[in-house]
Amino acid sequence: IDGETARDFDDAVYCEPNGKGFRLVVAIADVSAYVKPGDALDREAINRGNSVYFPRRVIPMLPEELSNGLCSLNPNVERLCMVSDMQISAEGEILQHRFYPSVMFSHARLTYTQVADMLANPQGENARQYAAVLPHINHLYQLFQTLLQAREKRGAIDFETVETQMIFNDQGKIEKIVPVIRNDAHKLIEECMLAANVCAAAFLKEHAHPVLYRVLQGPTPEKLEAVREFFKEVGLQLGGGDDPQAGDYSKLLKEIKGRPDYGLLQTVMLRSLRQAVYAPDNLGHFGLGYEAYAHFTSPIRRYPDLLVHRAIKAVLAGKQYKPQLKWVELGVHCSLTERRAD
């Protein structure tokens, strides 16, 4: 399930209910099978750090023969993948998880729009066309509801930012800029990816294997003071004393919903947090409310994910993966290429 214009399919999902809740399988393109440490592809991938998406073109991290071809989880063909296979309780808690390399065969390439429509109109045209996968879509949606509850309980911050899409005419001039509305299909895939990323971080932490974590720390004392001052002036308060948690931010976000200055207030809150970075020190992800978080789900377009895959494979083989550069240097470099892409 991806956007209309996507060509590089990193991830595929499958879900089935069972006695204990749900089994969720997230299959991710196995880039590490093709891009070997130190080879020319690898050196260039490090250099680029990630794919850069422009409104009308992509500068891919890997050659398109790989990113849109061999590695891409296209429909109705066999593809190598790395699997995060999870058992999730009816309350949205991950009870067990395991990783293994596999071969997959995708049964459908769906767009977020189609999936949202299938969920909203179970008798509609899309639902009829994809009748074979509709039950699985419904299972995914049930799982999504439970993961949302767990997210709420964890107190993860849900900033509602509006992304925009540029529509061009035949001459390549911008015709209009439209907001991209995030529907339930977007959020459903996002929750599945979060679960797989959390498991990747937990797996490597458990086996004491070094890796780049995705780290987002809370506000610095200076930023915290500034945000408190700002909210005091508009008659609001951010709870949590000297050490506010994600839940305190979530609570305040709920309070300001519906206010005419919501956009401004949310931006001030967002700016008070530090920037997310890649680092070998696990300092947790403040915004998502996770103790450990790593990027595993997009190795076609992000180098840190490829490193996570190599580390997981090394653990499975009873070895340790040692990259060419030091982990700290890799973290700084990948954080920089991400800023550069932005």
Side-chain angles (χ1 to χ4, degrees), residues 34-50:
Y34 301 97
V35 181
K36 298 300 181 191
D39 71 10
L41 285 171
D42 191 44
R43 292 198 303 273
E44 187 56 29
I46 290 182
N47 188 20
R48 296 183 179 211
N50 41 257

Side-chain angles (χ1 to χ4, degrees), residues 219-232 238 272:
T220 60
E222 298 77 37
K223 283 191 166 179
L224 183 57
E225 199 178 323
V227 80
R228 288 245 156 88
E229 281 301 309
F230 180 87
F231 277 106
K232 205 188 285 176
L238 172 66
S272 75

Side-chain angles (χ1 to χ4, degrees), residues 143-158:
L143 170 67
F144 163 63
Q145 304 294 93
T146 67
L147 289 173
L148 270 192
Q149 286 167 2
R151 183 191 184 100
E152 183 90 356
K153 206 164 130 189
R154 215 171 55 239
I157 309 172
D158 206 359

